[in-house]
Amino acid sequence: MKGKKILITGGMGFIGSNLAHRLVEEGARVRVLDNFHPDYGANPFNLHGIEKEVEIIQGDVREEADVEKAVRDVEIIFHLAAQVSHVDSMSQPFYDLDVNARGTLILLEACRKRGGSIHFIYGGTRGQYGRLTRTPVDETHPLFPRDIYGVHKTAGELYTLVYTSAFGLQGVSLRISNTYGPRHQMKHPKYGVLNYFIRLALDNQTIPIYGDGSQLRDYIYVEDVVKALVLAARSSEATGEVLNLGSGHPMPFREMVEKIVKICGSGRYEFVPFPEERKRIETGDFVADTSRITSILGWSPQISLEEGLMKTIEFYKKFHAFYW
């Protein structure tokens, strides 16, 4: 990535800022477009240590002028800006539509108008699948999202594939599983519950487990996600592909919580009924089949949940004041 001109939308958020740190280390010329919305994780401290090496544009993917300014002269775009709450997407569907679908389309149109061959890496979600008919789930599984967020993220993915086939964009979509790690927002549980559970445990609070906690989830450390994003940007073979990004190692929800409490050395948990707004959109077990991304990009996850939790907890103990 040395010398490459790169745009990260949502670059002050969780995955985007971790990606920015990695790209700066590799010598890339990084530009960030972010609307500084704190509820979705934008945090100036996320770019601590690289602020002077990153060009920051405060703007919105829904504003054509901001987007056209952001895409000028870039070679690679990582599109990670999004409305990210499953629950909020159900109560504010038109806002979700505006950001996740229309915002993506505005970004793609800016790329088309600018011309040239741009690598475009789209941040999709495991929520696009909805409730599974088989598991592990591969990329051929039918898409039937159970929330508005999943519908609009699917629309963004399809826009990306259309612009790839019709206009020469080098697009690829990564359907990302439950990601955790440093630089995630810690103020509310609307998304990224694993990280929020770390906050509760560090504060010696009670962690609620919905139902009996037997539902399987696929947790992946953010550093592994960043590696996959970078590999996708480097690869011409990934163009036009949709790839699952997960650990491939299922874990019951309650076991994940038990590990957090054990590693933190504080906190506790209790079983509670599913809130109605969560029950309506619950997808059941999810485990990703990652054989395709391994085959195309040579990627595989390297960080175990235990190691990832230790790294994450250590980060928040050190930088508690910037995230609580």
Side-chain angles (χ1 to χ4, degrees):
M1 290 295 166
K2 187 174 182 180
K4 296 287 187 182
K5 187 71 173 182
I6 297 173
L7 170 65
I8 307 172
T9 70
M12 292 184 69
F14 172 40
I15 296 177
S17 62
N18 279 285
L19 175 61
H21 280 269
R22 168 68 180 268
L23 293 173
V24 167
E25 288 177 8
E26 293 198 9
R29 299 160 62 200
V30 178
R31 175 182 297 152
V32 162
L33 173 65
D34 203 294
N35 69 356
F36 289 36
H37 197 314
D39 282 350
Y40 298 141
N43 186 336
F45 187 77
N46 280 345
L47 298 180
H48 176 68
I50 61 170
E51 307 96 326
K52 296 180 180 179
E53 300 173 79
V54 174
E55 178 188 355
I56 300 174
I57 298 175
Q58 183 172 2
D60 198 303
V61 292
R62 297 172 294 169
E63 298 295 333
E64 292 183 26
D66 294 341
V67 171
E68 288 173 2
K69 179 181 178 183
V71 303
R72 72 181 190 280
D73 69 17
V74 298
E75 303 166 73
I76 300 168
I77 296 174
F78 294 94
H79 181 33
L80 302 172
Q83 189 295 115
V84 289
S85 169
H86 298 268
V87 173
D88 284 357
S89 77
M90 301 296 283
S91 60
Q92 303 175 55
F94 292 104
Y95 179 71
D96 193 275
L97 172 69
D98 205 30
V99 176
N100 291 340
R102 181 173 168 271
T104 299
L105 195 54
I106 288 172
L107 183 59
L108 290 166
E109 263 296 276
C111 292
R112 182 186 67 82
K113 291 176 182 177
R114 207 210 73 180
S117 181
I118 300 174
H119 285 266
F120 190 96
I121 295 82
Y122 178 76
T125 171
R126 62 107 177 167
Q128 293 172 233
Y129 289 111
R131 190 175 289 276
L132 303 183
T133 60
R134 63 180 186 270
T135 187
V137 58
D138 64 21
E139 293 85 352
T140 66
H141 190 284
L143 304 183
F144 195 76
R146 289 178 62 85
D147 56 37
I148 297 298
Y149 170 76
V151 172
H152 294 152
K153 291 297 287 184
T154 299
E157 177 180 279
L158 293 174
Y159 292 150
T160 299
L161 297 178
V162 168
Y163 275 71
T164 297
S165 62
F167 301 120
L169 194 76
Q170 296 188 56
V172 58
S173 176
L174 302 183
R175 294 176 180 163
I176 304 172
S177 296
N178 301 69
T179 308
Y180 69 98
R183 302 187 179 94
H184 192 285
Q185 71 82 27
M186 302 291 276
K187 296 183 182 300
H188 59 76
K190 288 184 179 181
Y191 62 94
V193 294
L194 188 155
N195 270 73
Y196 188 71
F197 285 176
I198 289 174
R199 171 179 176 145
L200 293 179
L202 287 174
D203 288 347
N204 199 26
Q205 300 294 311
T206 300
I207 299 172
I209 298 178
Y210 298 148
D212 63 2
S214 64
Q215 57 270 37
L216 297 177
R217 288 293 186 268
D218 190 320
Y219 303 104
I220 183 167
Y221 188 61
V222 68
E223 185 178 311
D224 281 328
V225 172
V226 165
K227 288 178 181 177
L229 290 167
V230 172
L231 287 172
R234 289 174 174 163
S235 172
S236 58
E237 293 183 22
T239 298
E241 293 284 348
V242 173
L243 303 171
N244 283 341
L245 180 51
S247 71
H249 300 292
M251 177 170 292
F253 200 79
R254 63 174 178 270
E255 187 175 334
M256 174 269 291
V257 173
E258 288 169 353
K259 288 181 181 295
I260 290 175
V261 171
K262 181 179 179 180
I263 294 171
C264 283
S266 57
R268 66 201 67 83
Y269 61 87
E270 66 177 359
F271 297 96
V272 299
F274 268 95
E276 188 57 36
E277 69 272 13
R278 293 280 183 179
K279 187 176 182 179
R280 284 196 298 263
I281 61 177
E282 168 61 24
T283 59
D285 294 347
F286 183 89
V287 184
D289 180 337
T290 60
S291 57
R292 188 158 182 79
I293 193 171
T294 299
S295 173
I296 293 175
L297 299 181
W299 174 92
S300 61
Q302 301 298 309
I303 308 296
S304 69
L305 182 63
E306 289 81 0
E307 182 183 355
L309 287 175
M310 287 189 287
K311 287 173 175 281
T312 304
I313 291 166
E314 181 64 28
F315 176 87
Y316 287 115
K317 284 182 177 179
K318 184 176 181 180
F319 298 115
H320 177 280
F322 298 97
Y323 292 92
W324 257 237

